[in-house]
Amino acid sequence: MLNMLALSFEGELAPGLDLRCLAPGQKPPDGWGVGYYPGGEFAATVLKEAAPQLHSRRSELVRTWDPLESSLLLLHLRTAAWGPLTEANTQPFVRSAWGRDWLLAHSGSLEQRLQIAPGARFEPVGSTDSEALFCRFLDWMQEQGWRSLGDVDAPRLRAWLEEMNRLGPLTLVVSDGRDLCVYADRTNATQAWVWQVSPPYGRLVLGDDDVELDLTRRGAKSRKGVIVATHPLESRTDVPANWKQLSPGALVLVRQGAILVEVLPPEAGGQGTVAPMMAAEFEARSRLRRPPEMPVRVVEVLHRTVYRYAKPVERSSHLLRLTPMHDRLQSLLSHDVTLSVGVTRSEYEDVFGNRVRRAVVDTPYTELVMEARSRVELRDTDPLGYRPLHMRSVLPLVWMPWQANMLQPYLLPPELPDTQLEELLEYAMSFARRNDYDLLDTLLDINYSIFKEYQYAQGTTTLNTTAFSVYSARKGVCQDFANVFICLARLLGVPARYVCGYLYTGPKHANAVMAEASHAWVQVYLPEVGWKGFDPTNGILTQAHHVRVAVGRQYSDATPTTGTIYLGGGGEQLEVLVRCEPVSPEGQ
């Protein structure tokens, strides 16, 4: 029988929970309980029943109750070892401390009940070993001066739980309304299995003979999450169950569907060490947070665009945004644009500060070649050099009226149905909550998560594909990932704009395909800092490998070439070639 189940997802879910252990022919547990945090608040709701009967009305209430909506959920099915079958002895237990409700569920049975010292702040209501452990845990937290799971030193907490574990089997889940702490019994007498759920998925139902959990009862949501169970539940849909057993004696902390830290016991890698499965991701995130300074780089860019038509074009007009920007972080050393036919009628700076050429072709043609050659010096070598270690900007940002007026075009999210924007807002807020509303950490998390969790797949989207469609499908190209990032940032009140340019990927780079076409990324406006670049396609901050050409609210404001055919044409074929190569110091 499943003894314990816990969920942590980014944003709120409304799962369907069916306690099949109360159906005819099944042996009911000695008690069951469900705890969760409705509305994302720190106040917990607990539904429990001791000594349930078949077809229990309370279990039917859990199965059909719509308010069962939360990003955190704990389920416990009791097999009594300590105390009578009463509500007071039924898990999960709840205690209020430091402005929040704490939930605890325990799988296993200690060999002796912990003694509560006289005058202790927390005292048990019932008579179980688990509730006494809960009270001892909260007293210990108070002794350490910690008021939430976000405050804890994970290795110290793991070591304390291991001490308690010496008193008997102990697999534990604890939540403070934001984080979920999971500890696996050191002797493997009871186990903790973890499934990191990754979208997209259509319908996801898992269960066994005692419990069925439908995570998509209200429709599929593209949310990642972490499911913890004392034994693996079968997937009853086409989503493969990818359970991994937590190492005995290990501890993990989970927030908004992401594992923040995993600490192994000394015999499995040394106390305080990060588990191997997480080390690579932590290292990548660390590089993002403070990337090393790069040397100044000079690159030469060739951008060649060829239009071919089955029938001659008699007359056409074109706008070209092919001139790299020239400012304090990027110098345009040389630049030239040629057209196989036609002439440039005007050259001007548009409202976004982009250099634009207007070309007109009045002679018939079946092939039009546009070629731009540029040499650019890139000096954006230390993108976070502005940030003193003590400086911290938090969400929501507050803008002066004149700032808000100037930034308004970059604060408006795309025009999507309200239901889609609400879904995307909840998704955006999951990043903010996961990072304590720190502005830069939230943006870095969004940037890295899109890179890590979205598939780069050419030909799966079009220029009209919306940010919500990309979010739902979790795949696209650089333009799509930029659009998702921009949408999420604006929903959080952070100004964001679309950037079109070129990317130097280095020789034989795995992403060389992105160097053979124009690239897209994002700039966000940070208070008292200015515009800073994030590249969600590659999960990096922009440095001396991104050549900025044009910016705007969206792709249409910054597209390299656009045109209108007034007469003739048909059967258009487009061919684009981009080469971005470094210039040796001698060649500068």
Side-chain angles (χ1 to χ4, degrees):
M1 172 186 287
L2 177 76
N3 186 213
M4 193 167 62
L5 178 72
L7 310 178
S8 173
F9 272 73
E10 54 183 10
E12 295 186 353
L13 293 181
L17 183 59
D18 189 357
L19 299 179
R20 298 195 167 189
C21 54
L22 301 181
Q26 297 290 101
K27 180 183 178 181
D30 295 325
W32 63 265
V34 177
Y36 64 103
Y37 295 86
E41 298 180 353
F42 290 131
T45 295
V46 177
L47 304 172
K48 60 172 63 174
E49 183 178 21
Q53 301 300 313
L54 299 181
H55 297 301
S56 162
R57 289 188 178 183
R58 291 195 210 179
S59 67
E60 183 65 19
L61 179 64
V62 170
R63 190 174 67 86
T64 60
W65 199 22
D66 286 342
L68 189 65
E69 185 171 4
S70 177
S71 66
L72 287 162
L73 185 143
L74 276 66
L75 166 69
H76 188 272
L77 301 178
R78 185 187 183 201
T79 300
W82 286 83
L85 306 185
T86 63
E87 300 284 330
N89 291 333
T90 304
Q91 302 184 43
F93 299 116
V94 61
R95 286 290 188 280
S96 297
W98 311 300
R100 62 184 68 219
D101 285 344
W102 295 72
L103 292 174
L104 176 141
H106 170 206
S107 176
S109 179
L110 302 185
E111 295 175 0
Q112 62 185 53
R113 188 173 185 271
L114 293 168
Q115 296 300 314
I116 303 299
R121 177 178 177 183
F122 300 97
E123 298 182 11
V125 176
S127 56
T128 66
D129 59 323
S130 303
E131 190 183 14
L133 173 67
F134 192 12
C135 293
R136 178 71 71 86
F137 165 75
L138 292 175
D139 279 329
W140 182 78
M141 287 281 293
Q142 182 172 257
E143 292 170 6
Q144 310 306 309
W146 299 333
R147 300 169 61 88
S148 70
L149 289 175
D151 295 337
V152 305
D153 177 84
R156 282 170 61 189
L157 175 56
R158 195 215 66 80
W160 184 85
L161 287 171
E162 185 177 49
E163 286 184 28
M164 299 297 103
N165 199 175
R166 297 182 190 279
L167 302 177
L170 176 66
T171 292
L172 194 75
V173 291
V174 182
S175 179
D176 64 354
R178 182 181 64 171
D179 296 336
L180 184 70
C181 173
V182 183
Y183 173 79
D185 180 74
R186 61 191 293 269
T187 67
N188 216 27
T190 60
Q191 300 175 347
W193 291 81
V194 177
W195 179 4
Q196 293 181 269
V197 179
S198 300
Y201 45 83
R203 189 155 182 257
L204 179 52
V205 181
L206 58 153
D208 59 12
D209 292 339
D210 299 308
V211 174
E212 183 173 271
L213 182 71
D214 186 349
L215 295 175
T216 49
R217 181 167 66 97
R218 287 187 173 179
K221 289 189 175 183
S222 289
R223 301 284 172 77
K224 70 178 179 183
V226 173
I227 304 175
V228 180
T230 47
H231 80 259
L233 299 177
E234 296 179 0
S235 174
R236 296 183 170 174
T237 56
D238 57 359
V239 180
N242 187 23
W243 292 99
K244 294 181 180 179
Q245 185 181 355
L246 195 61
S247 299
L251 177 142
V252 296
L253 291 174
V254 186
R255 181 182 299 170
Q256 289 288 318
I259 295 179
L260 300 181
V261 64
E262 180 179 4
V263 184
L264 294 175
E267 60 271 19
Q271 185 170 343
T273 62
V274 176
M277 64 181 282
M278 299 299 299
E281 182 166 347
F282 289 154
E283 182 182 350
R285 288 181 182 272
S286 178
R287 287 198 305 270
L288 274 175
R289 183 168 178 82
R290 192 73 180 181
E293 186 173 353
M294 295 181 64
V296 173
R297 174 181 284 132
V298 177
V299 296
E300 284 189 344
V301 181
L302 166 66
H303 186 160
R304 178 183 172 89
T305 305
V306 181
Y307 292 95
R308 295 187 178 90
Y309 298 92
K311 297 180 180 179
V313 176
E314 304 290 338
R315 184 172 183 271
S316 62
S317 176
H318 307 266
L319 292 180
L320 313 181
R321 297 180 185 84
L322 298 171
T323 307
M325 294 183 173
H326 184 85
D327 54 33
R328 67 183 181 87
L329 293 178
Q330 177 176 297
S331 292
L332 183 60
L333 304 179
S334 64
H335 177 66
D336 181 58
V337 175
T338 60
L339 283 76
S340 58
V341 291
V343 295
T344 299
R345 290 289 177 86
S346 62
E347 188 173 342
Y348 61 93
E349 187 176 281
D350 67 15
V351 295
F352 303 106
N354 305 315
R355 202 68 195 158
V356 183
R357 288 179 174 83
R358 179 180 291 275
V360 176
V361 183
D362 288 324
T363 57
Y365 65 91
T366 56
E367 180 179 273
L368 173 61
V369 181
M370 305 173 181
E371 189 171 279
R373 294 180 179 272
S374 308
R375 177 174 288 198
V376 187
E377 183 180 77
L378 305 173
R379 297 191 299 275
D380 192 1
T381 58
D382 189 12
L384 297 183
Y386 67 87
R387 186 174 187 252
L389 294 179
H390 67 273
M391 181 179 176
R392 183 173 187 263
S393 296
V394 296
L395 297 165
L397 297 178
V398 178
W399 302 104
M400 294 293 103
W402 52 91
Q403 293 175 319
N405 187 51
M406 294 297 294
L407 293 169
Q408 192 64 24
Y410 307 110
L411 285 167
L412 289 175
E415 293 186 4
L416 295 171
D418 288 353
T419 53
Q420 295 184 7
L421 287 176
E422 289 169 0
E423 170 77 6
L424 288 168
L425 174 59
E426 193 175 345
Y427 180 50
M429 287 300 297
S430 71
F431 291 99
R433 296 188 190 104
R434 190 155 63 221
N435 292 280
D436 289 329
Y437 295 89
D438 182 275
L439 171 61
L440 184 58
D441 287 351
T442 299
L443 295 173
L444 290 172
D445 194 3
I446 293 173
N447 196 52
Y448 185 81
S449 294
I450 293 176
F451 161 69
K452 189 75 174 178
E453 299 168 13
Y454 289 61
Q455 178 189 357
Y456 187 90
Q458 291 181 306
T460 59
T461 58
T462 68
L463 294 179
N464 296 320
T465 301
T466 68
F468 184 82
S469 297
V470 178
Y471 153 77
S472 299
R474 286 298 205 278
K475 60 184 176 181
V477 294
C478 59
Q479 171 192 304
D480 303 304
F481 303 153
N483 287 337
V484 172
F485 190 115
I486 288 170
C487 181
L488 298 179
R490 291 179 182 177
L491 287 171
L492 292 173
V494 181
R497 67 185 183 185
Y498 187 97
V499 186
C500 190
Y502 310 114
L503 174 66
Y504 171 66
T505 59
K508 299 180 181 179
H509 192 278
N511 288 334
V513 64
M514 285 185 279
E516 297 174 356
S518 58
H519 189 52
W521 61 94
V522 180
Q523 284 185 328
V524 298
Y525 190 84
L526 305 179
E528 299 184 13
V529 174
W531 294 103
K532 286 294 176 180
F534 293 76
D535 183 351
T537 303
N538 296 293
I540 57 177
L541 298 176
T542 61
Q543 290 182 267
H545 30 48
H546 288 73
V547 181
R548 289 173 290 117
V549 175
V551 299
R553 301 161 300 168
Q554 55 203 14
Y555 170 81
S556 60
D557 298 330
T559 180
T561 61
T562 57
T564 301
I565 296 175
Y566 296 105
L567 186 64
E572 180 184 274
Q573 292 183 343
L574 173 64
E575 179 183 305
V576 179
L577 172 67
V578 170
R579 287 283 183 267
C580 185
E581 299 175 345
V583 177
S584 64
E586 296 78 12
Q588 296 182 29

